[in-house]
């Protein structure tokens, strides 16, 4: 599985961005997908995940971020609204070869290269 993340950029606080992660290779639609982020000096943290019809979000993203997938395009999206400066980080998409969602980055086998999101105050 190869993952290509895109859509990052610079946005003002309160703005929105939509990240995309295009997957190629194995049967993408059967796996769980997740978004993680890592800010400078901080550990990588779970943002959102999707598997079949289920989604899961980190508490600080609930109500602001929405994860979705288009299996026909082998792409997963992360719509981010009401962005805050503390959302500034490199965002990574990842695939877990299991149907069950997980918050742990160690459970995800394949990773994209990351896309930078910068939110200015």
């Amino acid at each position: 599985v190869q993952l290509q993340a895109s859509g990052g950029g610079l946005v003002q606080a309160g703005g929105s961005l939509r990240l995309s992660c295009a997957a190629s290779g194995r049967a993408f639609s059967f796996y769980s997908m997740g978004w993680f982020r890592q800010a400078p000096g901080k550990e990588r943290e779970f943002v959102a995940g999707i598997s079949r019809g289920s989604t899961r979000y980190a508490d600080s993203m609930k109500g602001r971020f929405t994860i979705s997938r288009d299996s026909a395009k082998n792409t997963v999206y992360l719509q981010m609204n009401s962005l805050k400066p503390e959302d500034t980080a490199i965002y990574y998409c990842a695939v877990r070869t299991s149907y069950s969602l997980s918050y742990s980055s160690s459970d995800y086998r394949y990773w994209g290269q990351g896309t930078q999101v910068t939110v200015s105050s």
Side-chain angles (χ1 to χ4, degrees):
V1 175
Q2 293 183 328
L3 304 174
Q4 181 69 42
S6 62
L10 173 64
V11 64
Q12 289 187 333
S16 299
L17 284 173
R18 189 177 81 155
L19 306 183
S20 300
C21 178
S24 61
R26 299 181 65 183
F28 156 83
S29 63
F30 295 108
Y31 298 152
S32 301
M33 298 285 293
W35 284 98
F36 289 78
R37 69 185 186 185
Q38 189 165 18
K42 295 187 177 181
E43 294 186 353
R44 190 168 297 189
E45 64 174 344
F46 176 83
V47 173
I50 187 167
S51 179
R52 293 179 167 174
S54 298
T55 59
R56 186 176 294 175
Y57 299 92
D59 287 343
S60 62
M61 288 72 165
K62 288 179 180 177
R64 299 191 300 126
F65 292 7
T66 302
I67 188 171
S68 61
R69 74 194 299 172
D70 184 336
S71 296
K73 296 181 178 179
N74 283 352
T75 301
V76 65
Y77 303 97
L78 183 69
Q79 177 66 43
M80 305 186 295
N81 299 327
S82 302
L83 284 163
K84 305 174 182 179
E86 52 263 43
D87 293 318
T88 295
I90 300 175
Y91 285 70
Y92 299 89
C93 59
V95 168
R96 183 183 189 207
T97 55
S98 166
Y99 295 124
S100 63
L101 291 168
S102 172
Y103 289 106
S104 175
S105 60
S106 63
D107 288 335
Y108 291 76
R109 181 174 181 180
Y110 302 100
W111 290 84
Q113 85 288 1
T115 184
Q116 176 71 49
V117 171
T118 303
V119 185
S120 62
S121 57

